[in-house]
């Protein structure tokens, strides 16, 4: 597969209805689609180091695995499927099977096919992405990296891309917490917790006092430094995810081998 063909396949995968359907569900306020892109970005950041440690490292397998690893969450939340964590602990073949069928569709759309070894490898990456919390342990560097990045994204970046400075202008206009949640695309609980975070950071006891600071200064401290940084990262991820596939392809292209002017250039992953 050439670098161009791989980019076409990646684009088809990102744009496929199944992968896009991950926008419809969120974990702690972070759309699952944005989380999958975050996992891909973390893998891309780590890639130079892993390529050096493992000369045959396959970035194509990793990126495809990232995009497809959480597809069963959609059916579990808006269909009648088993929960994703149950699948990963008891029947990871279901997650891998769903990934394979999404991959098949994308491949047929662009007439680009991954080699059989790559397909088997993606199967393993998806089946093993929960690491020791799942039934299948990662047995390859590619599976280990996706698991590590997935775990990091879930524990460090999974938060709603909203803070008190988004909430206060709406509160000032008389909206209720539930309405603000609807307008910002998050739950009422997240609106409440963001206001509490800011009250703690500004050392005030009530939302009324917080609103006073916001009216006076135009902004408040949204949270403690660590949490504020998490929210900023979440904003970046969601914005980056909205600009996909272009934004992702821009990040991926420099990592792909430059093709020589041969008739049938072949990627050396
Ligand atoms: Fe995940």
């Amino acid at each position: 597969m050439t670098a161009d063909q791989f980019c076409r396949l990646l684009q088809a995968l990102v744009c496929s209805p199944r992968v896009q359907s991950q926008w419809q569900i969120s974990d702690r306020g972070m759309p699952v689609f944005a989380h999958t892109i975050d996992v891909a970005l973390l893998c891309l950041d780590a890639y130079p180091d892993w390529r050096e440690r493992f000369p045959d490292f396959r970035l194509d397998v990793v990126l495809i695995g990232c995009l497809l690893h959480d597809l069963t969450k959609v059916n579990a939340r808006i269909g009648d499927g088993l929960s994703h964590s149950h699948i990963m602990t008891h029947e990871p073949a279901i997650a891998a099977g769903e990934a394979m069928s999404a991959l098949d569709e994308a491949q047929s759309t662009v007439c680009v096919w991954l080699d059989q070894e790559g397909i088997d490898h993606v199967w393993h990456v998806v089946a093993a992405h929960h690491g020791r919390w799942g039934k299948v342990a990662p047995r390859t560097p590619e599976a280990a990296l996706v698991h590590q990045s997935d775990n990091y994204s879930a524990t460090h970046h999974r938060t709603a891309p909203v803070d008190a400075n988004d909430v206060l202008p709406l509160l000032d206009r008389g909206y209720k917490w539930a309405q603000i949640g609807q307008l910002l695309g998050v739950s009422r609980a997240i609106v409440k917790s963001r206001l509490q975070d800011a009250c703690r950071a500004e050392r005030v006891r009530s939302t009324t006092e917080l609103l006073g600071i916001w009216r006076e200064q135009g902004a408040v401290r949204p949270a403690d430094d660590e949490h504020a940084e998490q929210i900023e990262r979440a904003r970046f991820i969601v914005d980056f995810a909205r600009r996909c596939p272009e934004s992702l392809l821009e990040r991926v292209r420099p990592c792909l081998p430059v093709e020589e002017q041969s008739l049938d250039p072949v990627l050396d992953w």
Side-chain angles (χ1 to χ4, degrees):
M1 191 190 298
T2 65
D4 270 350
Q5 286 172 330
F6 177 65
C7 287
R8 288 209 333 259
L9 180 56
L10 207 59
Q11 181 166 18
L13 275 170
V14 170
C15 298
S16 71
R18 284 184 207 231
V19 171
Q20 286 291 321
S21 70
Q22 295 177 107
W23 275 114
Q24 294 171 36
I25 51 166
S26 296
D27 285 324
R28 277 188 255 143
M30 162 77 62
V32 173
F33 178 85
H35 157 73
T36 65
I37 296 299
D38 185 37
V39 178
L41 289 178
L42 290 169
C43 290
L44 284 166
D45 288 345
Y47 176 55
D49 179 42
W50 286 61
R51 182 183 45 190
E52 212 169 287
R53 285 162 59 199
F54 307 101
D56 297 328
F57 193 84
R58 287 195 61 165
L59 182 63
D60 56 347
V61 166
V62 165
L63 292 172
I64 293 171
C66 288
L67 292 174
L68 302 178
H69 77 279
D70 270 346
L71 287 185
T72 52
K73 283 186 177 174
V74 180
N75 215 3
R77 309 270 183 85
I78 54 182
D80 53 2
L82 295 164
S83 84
H84 181 69
S85 57
H86 176 90
I87 286 172
M88 295 316 297
T89 340
H90 295 89
E91 300 174 71
I94 295 178
E98 182 139 354
M100 289 303 111
S101 95
L103 179 57
D104 272 351
E105 279 173 26
Q107 290 183 131
S108 311
T109 308
V110 287
C111 296
V112 170
W113 283 271
L114 197 61
D115 56 287
Q116 189 55 47
E117 196 186 319
I119 288 176
D120 294 345
H121 204 159
V122 171
W123 200 101
H124 174 65
V125 165
V126 173
H129 80 268
H130 274 202
R132 64 191 152 107
W133 295 283
K135 190 176 180 182
V136 178
R139 289 191 309 267
T140 62
E142 290 81 355
L145 177 60
V146 172
H147 162 55
Q148 177 186 303
S149 303
D150 181 44
N151 190 40
Y152 191 89
S153 172
T155 49
H156 291 80
H157 298 160
R158 189 172 273 165
T159 196
V162 159
D163 70 35
N165 290 304
D166 302 301
V167 173
L168 290 165
L170 297 168
L171 206 60
D172 192 45
R173 286 162 59 191
Y175 288 103
K176 305 287 178 213
W177 287 358
Q179 294 171 309
I180 294 173
Q182 272 180 355
L183 287 167
L184 297 176
V186 297
S187 67
R188 180 185 181 279
I190 286 173
V191 171
K192 183 181 173 188
S193 111
R194 291 300 195 256
L195 290 170
Q196 287 170 336
D197 292 339
C199 282
R200 269 195 296 275
E202 287 287 4
R203 298 174 188 277
V204 295
R205 296 171 71 93
S206 70
T207 307
T208 314
E209 286 175 85
L210 192 67
L211 200 52
I213 298 175
W214 177 81
R215 282 179 186 140
E216 218 171 88
Q217 301 179 358
V220 295
R221 281 195 64 202
D224 63 64
D225 289 349
E226 194 185 337
H227 195 199
E229 209 174 291
Q230 262 188 346
I231 298 169
E232 270 320 296
R233 169 76 189 183
R235 272 191 216 283
F236 164 77
I237 297 164
V238 172
D239 176 61
F240 188 96
R242 284 201 187 107
R243 291 185 288 109
C244 277
E246 291 78 11
S247 55
L248 183 63
L249 288 171
E250 244 171 65
R251 285 291 303 273
V252 170
R253 274 187 194 280
C255 301
L256 303 179
V258 178
E259 285 163 24
E260 289 168 18
Q261 297 299 309
S262 65
L263 286 175
D264 185 17
V266 176
L267 275 186
D268 177 15
W269 293 99

